[in-house]
Amino acid sequence: MDEDVSGKCSLRREQSWERKKRFLEHLSVSGNISEAGRVAEVRRSTLYLWKDTDKEFSARWEEALEEAVDALEAEARRRAVEGYDEPITYAGRVVCDPDTGNPIVRKRYSDGLMAFLLRAHRPSRFRAGMESEGRSGTISINISSDDSAL
């Protein structure tokens, strides 16, 4: 009978670790605790109990969140620097090239994301409140496809 009980405990630990692993994998992609818990089929209260009682799981949780934030930062940088294609619309409809039938797009950049990234990575130069130090708070960014314009 003792072997039966220890076998059940071992199986339960293995299932718990599989759920923890599934949660951590999804958390590193989504950055959303509730969503990752749903994917792993684990209640939030159980997740936080594991986090409070399992140091390794807690450390991996924090690492997974950092990975999710790194992915967000990479996407923000891509949108700010490389830009993104936005379909041109007219009267609520996407305008298409009459020869190819493909949507006509224009390249858009996010100056707001650019400013945010600069403040995050160079706070001494781009933080808010610089006006009181005699500096302008305006950030001017000129993006050109022509390298000679730089």
Side-chain angles (χ1 to χ4, degrees):
M1 182 115 171
D2 287 336
E3 289 176 27
D4 189 40
V5 170
S6 70
K8 286 181 182 178
C9 288
S10 177
L11 179 61
R12 191 172 299 137
R13 274 192 302 274
E14 188 176 311
Q15 289 172 338
S16 291
W17 177 244
E18 285 302 316
R19 288 183 178 196
K20 287 177 181 180
K21 186 176 166 186
R22 199 170 344 149
F23 166 79
L24 292 168
E25 286 171 354
H26 196 75
L27 184 62
S28 71
V29 174
S30 71
N32 186 301
I33 295 163
S34 295
E35 182 181 321
R38 282 191 293 277
V39 168
E41 299 177 347
V42 179
R43 294 188 332 225
R44 279 179 66 94
S45 59
T46 301
L47 293 169
Y48 281 100
L49 176 66
W50 287 345
K51 188 174 189 282
D52 291 341
T53 59
D54 182 341
K55 288 182 182 181
E56 180 184 354
F57 178 71
S58 180
R60 289 184 180 202
W61 175 317
E62 296 304 322
E63 186 177 311
L65 285 176
E66 285 297 317
E67 287 179 21
V69 172
D70 286 347
L72 283 176
E73 183 178 358
E75 178 61 15
R77 181 177 303 278
R78 186 194 66 75
R79 289 182 187 201
V81 176
E82 297 174 22
Y84 55 95
D85 293 334
E86 179 181 74
I88 295 176
T89 60
Y90 178 76
R93 302 186 79 171
V94 174
V95 178
C96 293
D97 182 319
D99 296 331
T100 65
N102 294 330
I104 299 174
V105 297
R106 67 178 155 218
K107 186 65 82 172
R108 300 293 303 252
Y109 299 89
S110 177
D111 292 344
L113 285 172
M114 178 82 71
F116 180 80
L117 289 168
L118 288 168
R119 283 192 307 270
H121 292 286
R122 295 277 160 67
S124 64
R125 293 186 64 199
F126 298 101
R127 71 179 179 272
M130 290 184 298
E131 297 81 9
S132 64
E133 299 174 11
R135 295 185 190 169
S136 169
T138 303
I139 298 173
S140 178
I141 299 169
N142 183 14
I143 298 175
S144 172
S145 60
D146 181 6
D147 287 345
S148 65
L150 302 174

